[in-house]
Amino acid sequence: MIDPHESTARPAQTTDEPANGMMPPPIRRITLDSQPTVALPPSQDAVAIANTGDRSLAAAGRPKRGVAGPERMTISDLSVYYGDNQAVKHVSLPIRQGEVLALIGPSGCGKTTLLRTLNRLTEVTGSARREGLITLDGTDIDSLEVTEHRRRVSMVFQQPNPFPMSVFDNVAYALREQGSKRPKKKVLEPYVVDALQRAGLYDEVASNLDHPALRLSGGQQQRLCIARALAARPEVLLMDEPCSALDPKSTNVIEELIVELRKELAIVIVTHNLQQAYRVGDHVAFMYLGDLVEYGPTDDLFDNPKAARTRDYIGGAFG
Amino acid sequence: MSVPTRPGGAAPPLPPLPLPRSPGGGGRQGRSPKKKRVNESISTWRLTDRIGYVLMWAAGLLLCAIGIGILAYMAFKGLQYLRPQLILSSPTADVDQSSSGGFLDPLLGTILITLIGILIATPIAIFAATWIVEYGRPTWLARLIDSGIEIIAGTPDIVIALFGLVLFQQGIFGWMSFTATDGAVFGRSFLAAGAAMSLIALPMVFAATREGLQSIPLHIREASYALGKTKAATIRRVLLPSVKANISTGAALGMGRIAGDTAIIVVLLGASLTLDPEGNVPGLNVLKGTGGTLTSYVYNNSPAGEGNAPQKAYAAAFVLLLIVLALNFAVDLIARSGAKTGLETSRLGAR
């Protein structure tokens, strides 16, 4: 039986909702032990995997992991505050081309805030304040023009949120330059079709590109949002629990899509679902109450978590 | 399964409250051989609740009856006197009612004044509502604008009319109406009345637009920002197209209000029988000139006015009623088609 007092150990839920219809995050008391575990130097991991001949691949039943490419974004000593509340505490992480970084942790631990900071969407919230450095290809993202930066680092949200316009216009919206001249539909069409194909949606909507996007099913809407994000040819794709509002079948489709997309993009995904993190993540970062507790290759982190807090958290689903 | 116990320990269970059993007999359900659902019966309600229930029905039916009554009476009276040539001929002042013409000019006047009013009101209302919802900083200014629009909405139309007359008789507004050789400005014209009428419609368009924008969830805006779009592009390409139905609804309601207004017509349009163009620039001369609308025509022809031709007043009033009803019907249609285009669905999806 679940002791009602135990649930108080979980942090108050803020923006994150528990995964809908998925495996919920385990309700377990997590010991509030000492200092956050220091993240492994990432470059070593990549070298280690390459040298050992990809030990994880050999193990039966393991998902195939992506091949890490160059580092695209670097987060160093990042802290985010909402008023006096520190939502993210001194987090440092690399984001590499060709692999998926999965952020896991209980609700309200700062995963989503961290993700939103990466494309400067936290700036939309008036009370948010950021410290530390985030670079994109070595350039401080604050020195990039914000709309330009968001075109390079695009985002898919928890709720499918297509605009109330046609399927075509939803994707074309991302392509159209802001302001004065609007390209003709004929010019845009190949790009729209390409984006829809990359998101694996084209075959389902090919005959009715002019239909309202909101008539699509939830899973299709979410893939449309992915297509919309891909249309601007971003270099980094941020996904905030992209499957939590979807049924298992749509989730499966989107997970396959993520694995496919990581070849050309760097992907950061926030998820409540540990199995999902295991299936699609190449590296996993476990966050708790704003701290980055542990970061490492997915198989290592799930097989031998180094921090007690990580062990307790993933033990809830894997123990 | 451990049932949580009371902190007080083992308290004896309370005896059941001695409540009167309902006469309807809720317990019969199980015993009855026929499967009949026992619904809630009003006989179990308290007396005050029963009175309230009856009053709700009475109020609804009364309003229904009044609405249908007005429509039926106006239709009966109006159709009795309404002839095609009444709509197609201009009015002329004549003691003999059979040769005093129809109400073509007032009908055109109504259409013209409604168009002018709504064309001025809609853009201003959209800009103001968009600013309030999407920017709204500093807060004191937003509150001030809100109050300003509330004042406009609350001002009686005759007060707006007087204010307009004082304003449009100023020299700088001379281009809007007839100006005498000595420089005195008449201050009454379609342009002047239309500008004043826009204040009648503006609060409705403003409120509808604002409500529409506020109901768009934040994540739609964020989705646009996340694609690297500016706030301006988001407003122009996503937000305003989404509230098209709201804007149309507000505009149609506002047009209904303009078409039905009398005070501004009498004070600022001259409420003349025919359209009296001013100057010799085609088009502009009508706008600068005076005229009348169906409302002023009805007033003038009613027993209270100079014309005293009640039959024509009834016919014109019926036409006016039809115009306003058509606008209201348009509102319904727009609102329904707006629900279909799917923003509602997205709101449901957002849960």
Side-chain angles (χ1 to χ4, degrees):
Chain A
M1 280 303 97
I2 294 162
D3 183 357
H5 298 292
E6 200 169 83
S7 60
T8 53
R10 303 182 66 214
Q13 296 207 348
T14 51
T15 51
D16 293 338
E17 293 295 325
N20 208 353
M22 321 252 116
M23 171 74 78
I27 302 171
R28 283 197 52 172
R29 182 194 287 276
I30 296 174
T31 45
L32 290 159
D33 63 357
S34 59
Q35 290 298 305
T37 310
V38 179
L40 293 172
S43 51
Q44 265 183 14
D45 299 343
V47 172
I49 289 174
N51 288 349
T52 53
D54 221 353
R55 167 180 62 85
S56 53
L57 255 176
R62 285 206 192 280
K64 202 168 177 248
R65 302 298 178 199
V67 183
E71 201 167 301
R72 298 310 296 271
M73 290 186 89
T74 313
I75 307 166
S76 35
D77 198 27
L78 176 77
S79 295
V80 183
Y81 302 83
Y82 289 114
D84 293 331
N85 174 30
Q86 191 174 6
V88 175
K89 298 170 185 168
H90 307 287
V91 170
S92 300
L93 276 173
I95 295 162
R96 286 186 223 101
Q97 176 96 41
E99 63 161 33
V100 179
L101 170 63
L103 298 175
I104 58 170
S107 295
C109 72
K111 313 180 293 284
T112 299
T113 302
L114 176 63
L115 195 74
R116 287 164 60 90
T117 313
L118 291 179
N119 75 344
R120 295 178 63 182
L121 213 55
T122 35
E123 289 166 26
V124 179
T125 316
S127 61
R129 192 160 53 81
R130 175 162 73 83
E131 282 170 10
L133 183 70
I134 301 175
T135 58
L136 174 64
D137 292 335
T139 322
D140 183 355
I141 61 166
D142 283 341
S143 65
L144 294 166
E145 206 271 312
V146 66
T147 56
E148 163 71 19
H149 172 63
R150 287 181 186 148
R151 278 167 175 266
R152 293 173 66 184
V153 182
S154 200
M155 181 151 169
V156 174
F157 294 79
Q158 182 175 6
Q159 283 294 339
N161 51 5
F163 302 126
M165 40 175 104
S166 74
V167 173
F168 183 94
D169 285 338
N170 259 279
V171 182
Y173 177 71
L175 291 165
R176 286 183 173 129
E177 286 296 319
Q178 8 221 8
S180 48
K181 266 179 100 180
R182 310 186 77 200
K184 290 266 165 56
K185 197 170 175 173
K186 259 199 185 136
V187 182
L188 289 171
E189 193 156 9
Y191 296 93
V192 171
V193 169
D194 176 59
L196 286 169
Q197 274 167 345
R198 292 212 292 157
L201 185 64
Y202 183 69
D203 294 340
E204 291 160 58
V205 298
S207 57
N208 40 18
L209 287 176
D210 291 329
H211 281 214
L214 292 159
R215 297 246 178 94
L216 299 176
S217 75
Q220 288 174 327
Q221 287 190 11
Q222 191 62 305
R223 275 180 287 150
L224 178 64
C225 292
I226 295 174
R228 194 173 65 183
L230 291 174
R233 290 266 161 194
E235 295 153 36
V236 181
L237 184 63
L238 311 173
M239 303 180 109
D240 183 8
E241 297 182 44
C243 304
S244 68
L246 306 180
D247 61 283
K249 204 174 162 198
S250 309
T251 303
N252 195 25
V253 173
I254 288 182
E255 282 181 9
E256 281 170 12
L257 181 61
I258 292 171
V259 170
E260 191 61 31
L261 287 172
R262 72 179 166 195
K263 289 171 190 160
E264 38 189 321
L265 293 161
I267 297 178
V268 185
I269 179 170
V270 162
T271 178
H272 263 124
N273 184 330
L274 291 174
Q275 278 93 339
Q276 185 172 59
Y278 182 71
R279 285 191 297 263
V280 304
D282 297 307
H283 275 73
V284 174
F286 171 58
M287 291 183 70
Y288 186 63
L289 295 179
D291 286 319
L292 173 64
V293 177
E294 189 165 349
Y295 166 77
T298 307
D299 296 325
D300 288 1
L301 191 131
F302 279 109
D303 291 345
N304 321 297
K306 292 184 181 60
R309 283 185 283 181
T310 320
R311 208 172 304 136
D312 287 346
Y313 183 68
I314 64 177
F318 281 79
Chain B
M1 228 15 167
S2 65
V3 178
T5 50
R6 264 174 234 252
L14 288 168
L17 260 181
L19 289 173
R21 294 294 298 268
S22 53
R28 209 183 293 155
Q29 196 175 10
R31 266 174 270 152
S32 166
K34 266 191 241 163
K35 240 193 159 180
K36 188 169 173 255
R37 185 172 292 150
V38 180
N39 288 323
E40 182 185 358
S41 162
I42 195 171
S43 60
T44 63
W45 290 15
R46 291 159 51 124
L47 180 64
T48 45
D49 290 352
R50 271 187 259 178
I51 293 172
Y53 182 72
V54 171
L55 286 179
M56 283 192 288
W57 272 95
L61 291 175
L62 180 71
L63 290 177
C64 229
I66 292 175
I68 292 173
I70 293 175
L71 191 61
Y73 181 73
M74 290 314 296
F76 171 72
K77 283 292 203 181
L79 288 174
Q80 218 173 333
Y81 305 115
L82 190 60
R83 299 283 177 276
Q85 72 263 28
L86 272 185
I87 296 178
L88 296 175
S89 61
S90 293
T92 42
D94 199 309
V95 197
D96 179 12
Q97 284 306 327
S98 60
S99 59
S100 68
F103 44 82
L104 175 67
D105 285 32
L107 183 60
L108 292 177
T110 294
I111 293 168
L112 190 58
I113 202 77
T114 308
L115 283 179
I116 297 172
I118 208 67
L119 284 179
I120 298 173
T122 308
I124 297 174
I126 291 173
F127 281 119
T130 310
W131 184 84
I132 290 262
V133 179
E134 299 304 320
Y135 294 89
R137 295 276 185 285
T139 321
W140 62 265
L141 185 59
R143 247 182 245 146
L144 198 67
I145 292 174
D146 252 345
S147 317
I149 290 168
E150 261 165 44
I151 291 170
I152 292 172
T155 309
D157 51 358
I158 185 74
V159 179
I160 290 181
L162 283 176
F163 172 75
L165 189 62
V166 172
L167 186 70
F168 294 125
Q169 281 182 336
Q170 302 303 312
I172 51 164
F173 293 111
W175 56 274
M176 284 173 82
S177 59
F178 169 74
T179 308
T181 40
D182 62 351
V185 179
F186 190 43
R188 299 173 183 83
S189 72
F190 271 100
L191 285 177
M197 281 295 192
S198 72
L199 294 182
I200 300 284
L202 193 139
M204 319 202 98
V205 187
F206 173 81
T209 311
R210 185 174 63 169
E211 203 178 295
L213 286 173
Q214 279 170 341
S215 70
I216 298 177
L218 182 66
H219 64 75
I220 293 278
R221 296 177 178 82
E222 287 188 340
S224 178
Y225 299 150
L227 291 170
K229 293 293 176 178
T230 57
K231 194 161 188 164
T234 306
I235 290 171
R236 221 159 81 84
R237 301 274 177 234
V238 178
L239 301 182
L240 288 183
S242 309
V243 296
K244 248 187 286 178
N246 298 67
I247 296 172
S248 314
T249 306
L253 281 174
M255 284 162 78
R257 288 283 304 275
I258 295 178
D261 198 276
T262 321
I264 291 174
I265 300 301
V266 171
V267 176
L268 275 174
L269 194 59
S272 54
L273 213 48
T274 53
L275 304 182
D276 301 321
E278 162 64 32
N280 37 24
V281 187
L284 185 68
N285 60 357
V286 178
L287 297 181
K288 275 181 77 173
T290 57
T293 63
L294 287 173
T295 51
S296 63
Y297 183 82
V298 170
Y299 169 73
N300 283 335
N301 281 299
S302 74
E306 299 160 13
N308 198 5
Q311 315 89 323
K312 285 182 181 172
Y314 279 126
F318 181 63
V319 171
L320 179 62
L321 192 63
L322 285 185
I323 292 175
V324 175
L325 281 180
L327 285 171
N328 285 355
F329 185 65
V331 170
D332 275 2
L333 275 186
I334 295 162
R336 253 176 248 159
S337 72
K340 251 185 267 164
T341 53
L343 204 65
E344 311 297 320
T345 338
S346 84
R347 256 176 257 154
L348 280 180
R351 266 179 295 256

